[in-house]
């Protein structure tokens, strides 16, 4: 439910003597480092806490151990201003802060789709144990519904008896590549499980975006826990939906890109996340929908579990389809063929290769005997740590040189701007597989390339028989995952 804002007058003072509450951010990975820097930008004194001394040292020097546009500059600005510092000492950070944001990871459990809550539980337990004065613990990590209730029990067992502490949930909605903007100017703020006192404190924390029109949704704890995973599940469903329709387009000769544009004009549907292609990946969507499948099954919500299971399966099948296209392009086998791969990150504007469809396809082709040469503007280093047996180069030209097939697997602008005429002079064979449907097929075909993708609009010109079927196309045979 939406809530009328309570007065914040004198509320912040309940958390400390300073005019503004002092903030700690526990966990300085992607979410935590971004949140800490953004809170400092909003004028708060912030302490970032991590168990990794090397990461703390890097951040203290203004260096970020991952690629996120604008974040290194923001950290350097506020480390220099004195508003932002980093430490491994959780006890000291807790004692010197009033509001404590839990931003640690919730990775998928080994051997299960369930989320691993060990880090969240331990971080919450330790913050509660180290409290020296009244405070507010704010969960931002993505967790299964019901987690907050358990954490409140942990806090009750761990916090000093004389300390007044609340736990509330404030989910994050960051997009990799735009995380700084999303934190400073969020499209909504969700506050779950708040009392009038903690709601007023959180509204004071987010006073700047609220004043500029960001809506605030106040709700119960379970609803707040479900918002982020539900949003991710819905976006994943849109992606898998259009990829399922792309298969119909392939079989019928329809144009999936034009179809998506037409659907997108319907205000009930919208155009975003309707790009057919290789599918979604990264550190959030895959693990979050699998965790939701697991939790839904535990709760007996079988319809949600079954729907999301299909979403996940459709998404994974896209990778197999691209592998099949590459095998077909090489005459039925990629053994000893040179395959140029453009893209390793799961999407542009990030170096994140967690569950990356691009890197998955590259590795699968390598395991089938191909000589795989990978170029990514930002993710080569992170990809090399994950799959060191692939060959990594520093330019599009190096990836394309002598290739029997060239695959676009991440839609970086650099790849969209590639010159098909110039590349055609250096490849072994003019074979382009556009797995992101981001290139202009007509331009590449005019330059003499055999061009294919996912959806008829990206494929060779159809030859239609009297029944209306495209005789030149067939759905590539799916091959086993590695």
């Amino acid at each position: 439910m939406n809530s009328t804002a309570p007065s914040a007058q004198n509320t912040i003072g309940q958390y400390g003597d300073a005019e503004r509450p002092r903030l700690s951010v526990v966990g300085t990975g992607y979410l935590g480092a971004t949140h800490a820097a953004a809170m400092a930008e909003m004028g708060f004194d912030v302490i970032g806490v991590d168990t990794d001394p090397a990461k703390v040292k890097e951040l203290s020097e203004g260096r970020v151990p991952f690629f996120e546009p604008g974040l290194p500059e923001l950290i350097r600005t506020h480390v220099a201003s004195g508003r932002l510092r980093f430490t491994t000492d959780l006890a000291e950070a807790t004692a010197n802060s009033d509001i404590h944001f839990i931003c640690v990871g919730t990775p998928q459990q080994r051997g299960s789709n369930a989320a691993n809550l060990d880090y969240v539980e331990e971080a919450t337990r330790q913050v509660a144990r180290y409290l020296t004065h009244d405070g507010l613990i704010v969960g931002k990590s993505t967790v299964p519904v019901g987690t907050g209730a358990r954490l409140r029990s942990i806090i009750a067992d761990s916090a000093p008896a004389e300390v007044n502490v609340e736990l509330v949930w404030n989910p994050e909605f960051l997009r990799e590549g735009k995380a700084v903007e999303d934190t400073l100017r969020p499209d909504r703020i969700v506050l779950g499980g708040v009392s009038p006192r903690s709601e007023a404190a959180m509204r004071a924390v987010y006073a700047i975006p609220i004043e500029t029109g960001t809506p605030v949704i106040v709700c119960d704890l379970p609803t707040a826990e479900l918002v982020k995973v539900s949003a991710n599940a819905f976006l994943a469903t849109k992606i898998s939906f259009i990829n399922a329709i792309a298969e119909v387009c392939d079989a019928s000769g329809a144009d999936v890109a034009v179809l998506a544009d037409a659907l997108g004009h319907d205000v009930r549907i919208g155009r975003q996340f309707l790009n057919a292609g290789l599918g979604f990946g990264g550190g959030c969507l895959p693990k979050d929908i699998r965790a939701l499948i697991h939790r839904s099954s535990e709760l007996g919500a079988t319809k949600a579990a079954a729907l999301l299971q299909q979403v996940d399966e459709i998404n994974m099948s896209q990778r197999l389809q691209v592998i099949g296209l590459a095998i077909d392009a090489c005459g039925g086998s990629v053994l000893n063929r040179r395959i140029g791969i453009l893209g390793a990150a799961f999407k542009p504007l990030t170096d994140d290769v967690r569950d990356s469809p691009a890197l998955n396809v590259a590795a699968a082709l390598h395991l089938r005997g191909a000589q795989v040469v990978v170029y990514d503007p930002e993710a080569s280093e992170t990809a090399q740590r994950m799959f060191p047996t692939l060959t990594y180069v520093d330019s599009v030209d190096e990836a394309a040189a002598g290739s029997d097939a060239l695959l676009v697997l991440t839609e970086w602008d650099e790849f969209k701007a590639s010159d098909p005429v110039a590349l055609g002079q250096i490849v072994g064979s003019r074979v382009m597989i556009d797995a992101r449907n981001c290139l202009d097929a007509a331009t590449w075909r005019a330059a003499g390339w055999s061009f294919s993708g996912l959806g008829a609009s990206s494929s060779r010109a159809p030859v239609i028989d009297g029944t209306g079927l495209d005789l030149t196309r067939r759905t590539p045979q799916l091959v086993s995952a590695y």
Side-chain angles (χ1 to χ4, degrees), residues 260-279:
D261 287 341
L263 292 174
H265 285 293
D266 189 325
V267 295
R268 299 167 300 174
I269 297 173
R271 184 60 177 84
Q272 287 189 315
F273 287 80
L274 281 181
N275 293 321
L278 187 52

Side-chain angles (χ1 to χ4, degrees), residues 117-440:
L117 299 177
D118 290 349
Y119 305 111
V120 167
E121 292 180 358
E122 184 60 19
T124 304
R125 181 180 292 110
Q126 292 299 328
V127 168
R129 184 175 296 161
Y130 290 135
L131 287 169
T132 59
H133 57 278
D134 294 353
L136 179 62
I137 298 177
V138 183
K140 290 197 72 69
S141 303
T142 302
V143 297
V145 62
T147 301
R150 170 162 172 72
L151 295 180
R152 282 179 169 174
S153 296
I154 290 174
I155 291 169
D157 292 338
S158 305
E162 67 277 10
V163 168
N164 180 18
V165 57
E166 291 184 53
L167 172 85
V168 302
W169 218 262
N170 170 222
E172 56 88 8
F173 303 103
L174 305 187
R175 297 168 295 171
E176 292 195 38
K178 299 182 179 180
V180 172
E181 175 72 15
D182 288 344
T183 307
L184 293 174
R185 284 167 281 276
D187 54 16
R188 76 278 207 195
I189 296 168
V190 176
L191 305 176
V194 291
S195 67
R197 175 176 175 270
S198 57
E199 181 184 344
M202 291 301 293
R203 286 181 179 271
V205 167
Y206 291 115
I208 292 175
I210 291 172
E211 287 171 1
T212 59
T214 299
V216 178
I217 297 92
V218 178
C219 57
D220 55 67
L221 202 56
T223 301
E225 292 169 330
L226 276 171
V227 171
K228 173 62 185 295
V229 292
S230 298
N232 279 354
F234 185 78
L235 297 177
T237 300
K238 286 188 73 173
I239 295 168
S240 286
F241 168 81
I242 199 63
N243 280 331
I245 294 299
E247 183 182 21
V248 180
C249 291
D250 268 334
S252 63
D255 188 321
V256 72
V258 176
L259 174 64
D261 287 341
L263 292 174
H265 285 293
D266 189 325
V267 295
R268 299 167 300 174
I269 297 173
R271 184 60 177 84
Q272 287 189 315
F273 287 80
L274 281 181
N275 293 321
L278 187 52
F280 59 82
C284 292
L285 261 65
K287 80 170 181 67
D288 286 354
I289 66 168
R290 290 165 192 163
L292 186 53
I293 291 169
H294 181 87
R295 185 62 177 140
S296 297
S297 297
E298 287 183 334
L299 295 170
T302 56
K303 291 179 182 178
L307 172 63
L308 295 176
Q309 182 70 31
Q310 286 295 310
V311 168
D312 200 9
E313 289 177 1
I314 290 169
N315 186 60
M316 297 304 294
S317 75
Q318 295 303 106
R319 307 177 187 195
L320 301 179
Q321 190 167 356
V322 173
I323 294 166
L325 284 171
I327 291 171
D328 284 353
C330 292
S333 173
V334 293
L335 183 64
N336 296 323
R337 297 299 187 98
R338 183 179 174 93
I339 307 295
I341 299 292
L342 300 183
F346 85 94
K347 72 170 193 174
L349 294 179
T350 182
D351 63 352
D352 194 345
V353 297
R354 291 175 295 175
D355 206 355
S356 168
L359 194 55
N360 181 268
V361 168
L365 291 171
H366 169 75
L367 290 176
R368 285 167 173 78
Q371 179 189 356
V372 177
V373 183
V374 180
Y375 168 64
D376 189 287
E378 294 292 342
S380 290
E381 185 176 339
T382 53
Q384 191 163 15
R385 288 199 295 267
M386 184 170 289
F387 286 105
T389 55
L390 304 180
T391 299
Y392 298 89
V393 294
D394 297 324
S395 69
V396 171
D397 285 357
E398 289 179 272
S403 66
D404 295 294
L406 191 59
L407 280 64
V408 174
L409 302 183
T410 309
E411 59 273 37
W412 286 96
D413 286 345
E414 179 180 352
F415 304 157
K416 298 177 190 178
S418 295
D419 182 350
V421 175
L423 286 181
Q425 304 303 313
I426 62 175
V427 295
S429 298
R430 294 184 184 180
V431 175
M432 169 60 75
I433 298 173
D434 178 13
R436 292 296 183 179
N437 288 349
C438 63
L439 305 179
D440 183 71

